[in-house]
Amino acid sequence: MIEPLPQRVSRWLAWVAGAVILFGCAVPITIDVLARYFLNRGLVESFEISGYGLAACIGLGLGYTVTTKAHIRVDFVVAKMPFPVRAACDLLAACALAVVAAALAWFAWGTVSQSWNMGARSMSQLQIPIVIPQGLWWIGLFWFACMAVLTPIQAVLRLLKGDRAGFQAAIGSADLNAEIDEAVHAVEDLR
């Protein structure tokens, strides 16, 4: 089955987020630790760079959590309810997430544009234009908002077509057996 474009973009951004953590955080920290051990001084501003990397990683990875339903849900009560009530609760949760994601992206854009207008730079020796890490962070939050808004829309369209399984796959909670099956398939794909 071909993965839809929004899910592919989310997966790609999650890979970028992993690269940011690996190369944007781990490598500078390793260089700094080794330099402090051998040269008694740091060579890079690893604390600053890793802070930017962490923010970018979180932003870039949020869209993927929506497409894979990896966000945390406590639904032991909802899981026992009949489908119409469960569907209403799932839809309410998805819409609440969409509102929060849109608000985050909106206010993050205000922060990025203010940094751009001010020409803000970091206070360290690197003097990094703040708009660069904030821009990466905002790209992730914007995509998160797009996915968080698109997902309940897709779910409602599936429900209107009478596709309960599609609705459940889009925004419903995965049961324990489905999560175990998914983990087993992921392990088999690695082999």
Side-chain angles (χ1 to χ4, degrees):
M1 184 172 119
I2 296 175
E3 189 176 35
L5 180 62
Q7 283 77 2
R8 280 186 291 178
V9 171
S10 296
R11 183 178 307 280
W12 183 80
L13 287 175
W15 277 97
V16 170
V20 166
I21 282 294
L22 185 60
F23 297 109
C25 295
V27 170
I29 289 171
T30 302
I31 291 169
D32 235 9
V33 167
L34 292 173
R36 289 177 196 275
Y37 181 78
F38 290 113
L39 305 173
N40 289 329
R41 68 182 208 72
L43 294 178
V44 295
E45 295 281 343
S46 62
F47 184 75
E48 178 181 1
I49 293 169
S50 63
Y52 297 149
L54 183 61
C57 179
I58 290 169
L60 294 171
L62 286 172
Y64 184 70
T65 63
V66 173
T67 63
T68 59
K69 299 190 299 183
H71 47 278
I72 296 172
R73 293 176 63 158
V74 181
D75 61 353
F76 58 89
V77 173
V78 175
K80 306 281 187 216
M81 294 181 176
F83 179 79
V85 175
R86 197 170 61 241
C89 290
D90 288 339
L91 192 57
L92 178 65
C95 289
L97 182 64
V99 167
V100 169
L104 280 171
W106 175 263
F107 288 110
W109 176 252
T111 301
V112 172
S113 65
Q114 182 180 15
S115 294
W116 175 267
N117 292 333
M118 291 174 42
R121 294 187 168 272
S122 66
M123 305 232 350
S124 71
Q125 293 175 351
L126 296 176
Q127 292 289 299
I128 295 173
I130 296 296
V131 75
I132 294 171
Q134 286 179 346
L136 288 171
W137 171 65
W138 176 78
I139 288 168
L141 291 178
F142 175 76
W143 187 252
F144 170 50
C146 289
M147 293 309 302
V149 168
L150 182 62
T151 300
I153 291 170
Q154 289 176 333
V156 167
L157 291 175
R158 289 176 180 171
L159 196 57
L160 291 174
K161 291 179 183 176
D163 182 10
R164 282 186 174 190
F167 176 86
Q168 184 69 19
I171 64 172
S173 297
D175 64 354
L176 183 58
N177 293 331
E179 288 184 23
I180 291 171
D181 289 343
E182 184 178 320
V184 167
H185 285 88
V187 170
E188 288 173 354
D189 288 345
L190 292 174
R191 291 182 187 174

